[in-house]
Structure formats: C-alpha cells, structure tokens
Amino acid sequence: MSSRRTASLITLGCARNEVDSEELAARLEAAGWQLDDDDPDVVVVNTCGFIESAKKDSIDTLLAAADSGAKVVAAGCMAERYGGQLADALPEASAVLSFDDYTDIGERLDDVVAGKPLVPHNPRDRRTLLPISPVERAAAPKANIPGHGDLPDGVAPASGPRPLRRRLDSGPVASIKLASGCDRRCTFCAIPAFRGAYVSRDPAELVGEAAWLVEQGVREIVLVSENSTSYGKDLGDLRALEKLLPSLAAVEGLQRVRVNYLQPAEVRPGLLTAIAGTEGIAPYFDLSFQHASGGVLRRMRRFGDPRRFLDLLAQIRAEAPEAGVRSNFIVGFPGETEEEFGELVGFLEEARLDVIGIFGYSDEEGTEAASMAGKLDQDVVDQRVTALSELAEELSAQRAEERIGTEVEVLIEEDLGDGGYEGRAAHQGPEVDGSVTVQGIGLVPGQIVRAVVVDAEGVDLIARIKAGP
C-alpha cells in the first residue's frame, strides 16, 4: 500500500451531516489520510436517508463516484438505515459503514484499499431497500466530485464521542451539533429508527468548539440537531438551551448565533426571550409546524392548531418585531380533508412567515403513517402541493417587501465583483432563506454591515450601506 493514502468526502443532506463529515475528515487526517478530490484512493459518500428523493440522490451520487474509478464507501444515514441491504443492492460500493465505524474510519478505509471485505452491519430496525435497477444505474450522473479548496490548519477540541473536527469550508458560517437523535415519535418520520435516542452534548464542549471555530475564521454558528428545543432534557435541565445561548454569544470574536429546528410546542417563554432578546443571538425562529389543522397534527402525533400557532407568532413578534420565522409543511397527509387543507391555507395567509417549505406526503417505510388508512390519490396530493407552493411563494415575497425601508445587519459571505456583495441578515438562515445583496467598497467575508433594504426580489433583498452612525 502506498504511504500516501487519499480520500474525498461528498456530503449530502442536512447541516448535521456536514458536521459529521468534518469530524470524519479530522479522524482520517489523524489516521494518516489526506483529503484529495483530484485523484482519491477512496470516495466516502455521507448519504442522506430521510425521504425517497434524498435516498435516490444518495444512490445516484454513489454510482457517479464509482464511475470515477476510485473505491467508493457509503456512510451516513442511508448506510446506517439499510446496512447489508444497501451493500447487496449496490455492489459498486466497496463498503457500507455504520455510525459505529466512524471512530475507526481510517482503519476501515485502510481495509478498503487493501481489498479486505468489510461485513456491513444489520440495523436493529429492519427496513426493505428496493433493488437498484439497470435503468437507475444508466441514468445516474457522471462523476463530478466537488472540490473543497485548501483546508485551514487546526483541530477542534473534544466533542463527546467524536473529538476531532476539520473544516471543509473556509466560509464565515459553520454549524455545531447540539445533540444527536430524537425521542419524538412523529408518525411520518423514520429518523429515530436510525439516529437513536436524543443525547445532548455538554455545554462546555459546545462553547469550546465555538471558540475554536472563531479561530478558524467563523463569525456565525448555527446550532443544529433533530430537535433543538429538547436540548438538556437528558441532562436534567429543561432550561439548558436558554442558559447556553448567552455563553455562546459571549465567545470573543463570534458575531452571531442562530438556532435551528425548534418544536413549536416546546418553545417556552424563557427560551423565546433568550432567542429574541439576547445580544448576539439571531432573532430567528425555525419552527417545525408541519401542518396547522389540529386534526392532521394529532394524526402526525404532534400538537397545535392555527390559533395556538398564531399566538406563538404574536409572542415572538411582541419581543422581536423583525424576527425571522420559517417553517415546513406536509401536504396530503393520510386523511387530510379539504377543510383541513383549508385550515392550513388560512393559517399561512395570517402567519406572515418569511420562508415556507412545502412537501407532498409520501409513505416512508417503517413509519406509523405508512400503514394509515385514508391515503389520498397522488393527483390530489400534487394539486394541493402546487396550489400551496404558489401561495407560499406569493406570501414569502410579500413578507420580503414588508422589510423594504427597514435596517438589517448583513453578514457578508461573498464578493460578487463590481462592488456587489452577498450576505445574510439575521432573519435569513444559511442556504434556505434567501440572501441580501449589498453594494459597497472594500467589504470582506465575515464582516457585518448595517444596511437599509431598498428592494426585494422574491425572498431575496437588495440593500445599501447605511450612512452615518
């Protein structure tokens, strides 16, 4: 075996996977591997297994990576969820790894390069992975392994069972995992089956990791987990998150802290105030409503109704009038009546959300909803998705227009050239909530500037630097 062992990491799915990949990258480096996207010995694909489209994307990416001539290893949620079934269905992959393999990822890849067979795990929660057809293989895109650029020096401090982290992005924004797993049992969601029970990280470790990220050039951190409002429950402290936020905001050099994935039923008054009123914490509420009809929510094994949700939004805006609020909604859940769909429409028309994600329901194997009666015809689901998506686009654009004339603090992320810069205001989460284009001179990524919104294009804003103090 060559003394120079090289690997490429491809990350699919959510921000939690991105953090996992940075931890894998550091473990690989500690084991003597180098990251190299040009001619890697092994391509590790950190897959997503959340919904059917994500699984298809994972399969396509694995097949494309195999086409590159490198050995291919499947990791991440899809690999954890299906284990041996994925290995059988995808012989192009040299190995299928579980989360338990992450600690010894360097040794696992050594075995792959040496041609040693790795027996894939058999998940406790058995699922059925459909065979990958020749048509799917032929339709998979050709290899296109994205580059990461030069990696900054440094290794993150201990973070629980996976102590290393290597940044794969030089931008001024990075995510930190609050916790792993989920204890909720929503009837449409399979995540608890393969991510396991909710486990919070130690607050001191989170503050230490934030300080390290600042040393790497990060100015905004985004706290992620399957459910951030559950943070601290397993530590015996229901107020752990609202206590943690001021400690993170106090980290020297950190400009902004953002919290993602909030359960509306668990947004307590103290937590609401901590997010809306703590300097350095973005007044940003990523609320997992999923629907608005009380009947549908009960079948989802969730809580709430239009009035309770609107009351929560009123409380948020009473404390932070310019707060950003985004949410996702599932349309066409089993048994959803025209009246219940109408409740959702009416809620959205009143809610004034900044960003609205719409997803059509589809059965997710192994979930309670998959065996429910009252399934809607796909045509009906598609019609409702189209109608609600069009409404959501219109409502989000109206909300953006309401911000014209207001002052925003923009974290500059990219120099667009010709005096234009792209960044995000406090009410805009990374990648999913639109951006702000600012005209200026001499601005640099990582800088926060005050600007006045002068126009809006959809959810995107156009602003000019504020003159004077």
Side-chain angles (χ1 to χ4, degrees), residues 353-383:
L353 303 181
D354 290 276
V355 178
I356 304 165
I358 305 296
F359 299 89
Y361 172 82
S362 61
D363 286 338
E364 186 60 32
E365 55 188 341
T367 62
E368 186 176 338
S371 60
M372 283 183 175
K375 299 288 175 59
L376 278 64
D377 290 341
Q378 191 60 49
D379 287 347
V380 174
V381 176
D382 292 343
Q383 289 169 7

Side-chain angles (χ1 to χ4, degrees), residues 258-262 264 283-290 313 316-317 323-329 347-348 351-359 396 399 403 427-434 459:
R258 186 182 304 275
V259 188
N260 276 5
Y261 310 118
L262 303 173
Y284 175 80
F285 293 81
D286 175 19
L287 295 168
S288 179
F289 287 130
Q290 302 299 346
L313 293 173
I316 289 171
R317 287 164 178 151
V325 185
R326 80 173 320 276
S327 191
N328 294 324
F329 298 87
F347 168 73
L348 291 180
R352 295 172 56 239
L353 303 181
D354 290 276
V355 178
I356 304 165
I358 305 296
F359 299 89
S396 296
R399 178 67 179 133
R403 294 188 181 275
H427 72 276
Q428 296 171 317
E431 300 181 4
V432 293
D433 291 350
V459 296

Side-chain angles (χ1 to χ4, degrees), residues 329-342:
F329 298 87
I330 297 174
V331 178
F333 192 78
E336 181 189 65
T337 65
E338 285 283 358
E339 182 180 0
E340 290 170 332
F341 178 69

Side-chain angles (χ1 to χ4, degrees), residues 94-171:
S94 299
V96 175
L97 304 183
S98 75
F99 296 147
D100 291 340
D101 291 310
Y102 283 13
T103 301
D104 301 313
I105 184 66
E107 294 179 20
R108 297 294 179 270
L109 296 199
D110 286 344
D111 290 341
V112 167
V113 172
K116 296 180 181 179
L118 296 179
V119 178
H121 69 292
N122 289 311
R124 294 182 299 273
D125 187 41
R126 299 290 294 179
R127 299 290 175 236
T128 301
L129 179 67
L130 295 177
I132 302 167
S133 70
V135 173
E136 289 176 294
R137 283 187 162 81
K142 297 300 181 184
N144 181 19
I145 302 174
H148 298 300
D150 295 331
L151 299 176
D153 293 332
V155 174
S159 59
R162 293 185 292 277
L164 305 178
R165 180 168 180 176
R166 164 69 68 184
R167 288 214 73 201
L168 298 175
D169 185 331
S170 60

Side-chain angles (χ1 to χ4, degrees), residues 221-239:
I221 62 170
V222 183
L223 301 178
V224 299
S225 71
E226 276 72 24
N227 173 15
S228 295
T229 42
S230 283
Y231 179 72
K233 285 184 176 181
D234 54 320
L235 303 177
D237 187 355
L238 292 176
R239 298 184 59 200

Side-chain angles (χ1 to χ4, degrees), residues 396-448:
S396 296
Q398 289 176 5
R399 178 67 179 133
E401 289 174 359
E402 291 177 14
R403 294 188 181 275
I404 294 175
T406 65
E407 183 178 322
V408 292
E409 291 189 340
V410 183
L411 175 67
I412 301 299
E413 296 186 23
E414 184 180 357
D415 183 347
L416 301 175
D418 296 326
Y421 298 83
E422 185 176 44
R424 286 177 303 102
H427 72 276
Q428 296 171 317
E431 300 181 4
V432 293
D433 291 350
S435 63
V436 182
T437 299
V438 178
Q439 293 295 317
I441 299 174
L443 305 183
V444 295
Q447 178 181 1
I448 284 189

